[in-house]
């Protein structure tokens, strides 16, 4: 059994959370998000005042994004145990997970471009700021697909000793649905469905964070079980 | 009635989903009441354009459907799958009626030029009732599945877990509407 | 359908729920003609009726009254917590 590699991959998920929090929250101070209702000058001021920390913080966030690759792989590895020879849901999860990395990395790089020349025309800073936030908050589809197929794979597990407990399947479906309100931010500049709103941003963010912790626990349990002599 | 005490209806996992959904809708309710408090007059005026009779009639439809589902579960327990299938079909019919009323209601509003971006009240109105309608549609899928299960000659006691899980989900659809109705249509 | 099912406790509960809905319908429709002083009490009444209905649905239709204590407590906590929070937010809303 490749217990060590699996453990390494699972821990990458946690390192991602920590590194992303340090870079994106503590250094760049992108939490709470700037309101979509801010004027161009107000947006530009954010990038002008905190330029160095934003640049460095977003670099860490970009590095963190890559760490979700091994994380997705270890989930896929456990899903493949369920699916066996014809792992279509596992493949779907891998492809969606790969796209998910871009949803984490690309906004960080867009904001980096804004912070690269903070003295340029504020309208352009605002454009990049909008692009980053809309890409980051609204793009729920890869994560949605990822969570749905994890749920479906768990439900399809008819073994006497299933790989994952069934409640984890329901949990994944629930998480998937909660990511959907992010898709509404295109309509709003204020309120709960704006990109800084409680239902479009905060709820999915908290749930996404919790999903990592729950999946991590269940993965660890499985990896340890696999390591036991049969 | 279940045979034993301390019986979890359906499989334990479905309760992760049901309670999770209740938590989120609970948050929806609170967000609505909070923002309503910031601009009561707008919400009162907008609410006055809603047709309460549609909302109330839909509440009655869902309550009736829930009762059919309870009776269907009891019949399934008594191993009379055919009878259970009939009652599930009646519940499904009520669900379709709910959808039809909602369709008429939405068409009237849209014809009057009222959309999701008209004002904050209608933003909540469309998003909350829309998400709830999505639950109704999923629930109707679940009921259809239960009808097929109950009709099959191989229907057996071990299928009760499925029946109870599906029934619990349908009751969730009912209970969320019970709160949404006074919240959107009635509160002054 | 046999008569035993008609006598099922859920049937009585269902009848009560239908009556409660009709009552809310009537109260809500009349609200426009009420004096403004009684409007807050009307809203509180409507919300309390709604959450009592919800508790009946949870306990009798979802059969939570036969469920393990933990599940019963979680469900009841939701009913009481969300109802209280709604009423609190409504009552203490900044006057406008």
């Amino acid at each position: 059994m490749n217990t060590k590699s699996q453990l390494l991959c699972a821990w990458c998920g946690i390192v991602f959370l920590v590194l992303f929090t340090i870079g994106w929250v503590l250094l760049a101070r992108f939490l709470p998000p700037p309101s979509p209702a801010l004027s161009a000058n107000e947006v530009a001021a954010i990038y002008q005042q905190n330029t160095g920390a934003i640049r460095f913080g977003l670099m860490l966030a970009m590095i963190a994004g890559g760490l979700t690759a091994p994380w997705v792989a270890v989930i896929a590895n456990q899903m493949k145990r369920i699916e066996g020879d014809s792992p279509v849901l596992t493949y779907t999860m891998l492809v969606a997970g790969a796209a998910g990395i871009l949803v984490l990395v690309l906004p960080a790089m867009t904001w980096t471009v804004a912070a690269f020349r903070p003295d340029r025309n504020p309208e352009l800073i605002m454009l990049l700021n909008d692009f980053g936030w809309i890409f980051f908050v609204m793009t729920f589809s890869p994560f949605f697909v990822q969570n749905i197929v994890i749920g479906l794979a768990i439900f399809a597990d008819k073994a006497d000793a299933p790989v994952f407990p069934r409640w984890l399947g329901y949990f994944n479906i629930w998480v998937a649905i909660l990511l959907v309100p992010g898709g509404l931010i295109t309509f709003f500049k204020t309120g709960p469905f704006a990109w800084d709103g409680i239902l479009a941003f905060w709820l999915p963010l908290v749930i996404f964070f919790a999903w990592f912790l729950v999946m991590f626990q269940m993965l660890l349990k499985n990896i340890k079980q696999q390591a036991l002599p049969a | 009635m279940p045979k034993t005490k301390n019986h979890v209806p359906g499989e334990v996992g479905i309760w992760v989903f049901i309670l999770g959904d209740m938590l989120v809708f609970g948050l929806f309710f609170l967000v609505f009441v909070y923002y309503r408090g910031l601009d009561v007059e707008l919400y009162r005026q907008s609410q006055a354009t809603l047709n309460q009779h549609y909302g109330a009639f839909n509440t009655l439809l869902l309550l009736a459907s829930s009762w059919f589902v309870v009776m269907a579960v009891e019949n399934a327990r008594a191993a009379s799958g055919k009878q259970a299938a009939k009652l599930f079909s009646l519940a499904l019919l009520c669900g379709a009626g709910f959808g039809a009323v909602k369709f008429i209601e939405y068409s009237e509003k849209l014809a009057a030029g009222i959309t999701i971006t008209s004002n904050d009240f209608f933003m909540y109105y469309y998003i909350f009732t829309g998400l709830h309608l999505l639950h109704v549609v999923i629930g109707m899928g679940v009921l259809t599945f239960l009808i097929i299960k109950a009709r099959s000659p191989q229907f057996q006691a071990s299928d009760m877990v499925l029946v109870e899980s599906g029934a619990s989900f349908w009751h969730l659809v009912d209970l969320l509407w019970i709160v949404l109705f006074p919240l959107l249509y009635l509160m002054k | 359908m046999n008569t035993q099912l008609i006598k099922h406790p859920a049937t009585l509960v269902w009848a009560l729920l239908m009556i409660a809905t009709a009552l809310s319908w009537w109260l809500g429709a009349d609200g426009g003609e009420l004096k403004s002083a009684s409007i807050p009490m009307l809203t509180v009444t409507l919300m309390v009726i709604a959450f009592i209905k919800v508790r009946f649905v949870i306990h009798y239709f979802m059969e939570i009254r036969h469920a393990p204590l933990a599940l019963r407590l979680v469900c009841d906590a939701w009913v009481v917590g969300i109802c209280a929070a709604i009423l609190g937010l409504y009552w203490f809303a900044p006057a406008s």
Side-chain angles (χ1 to χ4, degrees), chain C residues 9-24:
Chain C
T11 306
L12 179 65
V13 167
W14 174 66
L16 287 173
L17 290 173
M18 297 295 261
I19 294 167
T21 305
L23 181 69
S24 302

Side-chain angles (χ1 to χ4, degrees), chain A residues 48-65:
Chain A
Q48 284 154 3
Q49 282 157 13
N50 194 25
T51 316
I54 287 179
R55 285 174 182 164
F56 186 59
L58 292 176
M59 191 178 86
L60 292 186
M62 177 272 291
I63 294 168

Side-chain angles (χ1 to χ4, degrees), chain B residues 34-121:
Chain B
Y34 171 76
Y35 281 100
R36 181 187 182 280
L38 300 180
D39 195 356
V40 178
E41 222 22 67
L42 173 85
Y43 282 71
R44 280 201 189 126
Q45 282 163 8
S46 309
Q47 184 194 58
T49 67
L50 292 185
N51 188 331
Q52 293 170 349
H53 303 313
Y54 288 150
F57 182 66
N58 264 348
T59 312
L60 297 180
L61 270 181
L62 284 188
L63 282 174
S65 74
S66 271
W67 183 74
F68 287 135
V69 166
V70 172
M71 292 298 114
V73 170
E74 289 299 346
N75 272 287
R77 280 194 185 120
S80 86
K82 289 250 152 48
Q83 199 58 255
K86 261 183 218 160
L87 286 157
F88 278 134
S89 307
L90 287 171
L92 185 67
L93 207 63
C94 290
F98 181 96
V101 171
K102 253 296 37 73
F103 179 77
I104 298 169
E105 195 183 350
Y106 283 153
S107 323
E108 280 185 12
K109 287 280 157 293
L110 292 172
I114 297 170
T115 66
I116 190 168
T117 50
S118 291
N119 66 34
D120 279 1
F121 176 84

Side-chain angles (χ1 to χ4, degrees), chain C:
Chain C
M1 203 187 319
N2 62 51
T3 49
Q4 271 190 334
L5 289 182
I6 300 288
K7 287 182 201 149
H8 194 280
T11 306
L12 179 65
V13 167
W14 174 66
L16 287 173
L17 290 173
M18 297 295 261
I19 294 167
T21 305
L23 181 69
S24 302
W25 192 349
W26 177 72
L27 281 175
D30 268 9
E33 292 127 48
L34 284 173
K35 284 188 227 110
S36 57
S38 50
I39 280 179
M41 275 324 291
L42 173 75
T43 301
V44 170
T45 311
L46 287 170
M47 291 319 300
V48 170
I49 291 178
F51 277 92
I52 291 173
K53 282 161 75 182
V54 165
R55 191 172 182 278
F56 270 110
V57 168
I58 290 175
H59 276 248
Y60 285 84
F61 288 2
M62 287 174 150
E63 299 183 329
I64 287 299
R65 69 197 167 114
H66 297 297
L69 183 66
L71 190 50
R72 264 183 289 158
L73 286 180
V74 170
C75 287
D76 283 347
W78 184 85
V79 172
V80 174
I82 299 291
C83 185
I86 286 178
L87 293 180
L89 284 171
Y90 172 77
W91 203 262
F92 296 107
S96 59

